[in-house]
Amino acid sequence: MKGLISKHECKLPPLTGKKIHQRLRKAKSTSATSTDGWRINELKELPEMLLEMIAKFFTAIEMEGEWPEALLHGKISLIPKAGVHSEKAGPLAQRPISVLSALYRLHSSIR
């Protein structure tokens, strides 16, 4: 996906395992399994040492400006619109919902 987004210098505060831990504490644990195979409640269980590694991973992505291909995919499901019974919901009575990588969602919730 190189070349689709131009790079701009941006001063961001350092990302740490502690900051990730604080954000995960506030995150809902009921989210669906993402395309990377992680659930938010599983990330919440990781020790701070591994969260530090995730912080370094995020920092490397920010420095390079490119996400790994595996984290760029999403799962799209159709869910019935409000007031429509799921067994009667044709394609026009449903709306799409995307589930992205848990790591991608975590990063975007911090930054």
Side-chain angles (χ1 to χ4, degrees):
M1 302 213 63
K2 254 186 179 168
L4 294 179
I5 301 173
S6 59
K7 292 183 182 181
H8 297 280
E9 190 167 330
C10 182
K11 300 288 183 195
L12 295 171
L15 200 51
T16 64
K18 184 175 181 174
K19 177 74 175 170
I20 290 173
H21 177 73
Q22 290 170 346
R23 182 60 195 108
L24 283 169
R25 278 196 332 220
K26 296 176 184 177
K28 292 180 184 178
S29 295
T30 57
S31 63
T33 303
S34 61
T35 55
D36 58 14
W38 286 96
R39 290 179 182 258
I40 293 296
N41 63 337
E42 294 169 334
L43 293 175
K44 287 180 173 188
E45 297 296 322
L46 294 176
E48 197 157 324
M49 177 187 71
L50 289 178
L51 296 178
E52 282 296 335
M53 293 174 75
I54 291 173
K56 288 179 182 179
F57 172 67
F58 287 159
T59 300
I61 289 170
E62 292 173 353
M63 298 294 291
E64 294 299 317
E66 192 170 336
W67 280 85
E69 182 73 24
L71 299 183
L72 294 176
H73 298 279
K75 225 182 337 186
I76 300 174
S77 300
L78 294 174
I79 60 172
K81 291 181 180 177
V84 177
H85 294 288
S86 59
E87 57 274 351
K88 295 181 181 178
L92 298 178
Q94 299 182 53
R95 64 181 180 89
I97 186 166
S98 300
V99 178
L100 300 174
S101 157
L103 291 171
Y104 185 89
R105 287 183 286 150
L106 174 61
H107 177 269
S108 64
S109 72
I110 294 170
R111 295 296 199 200

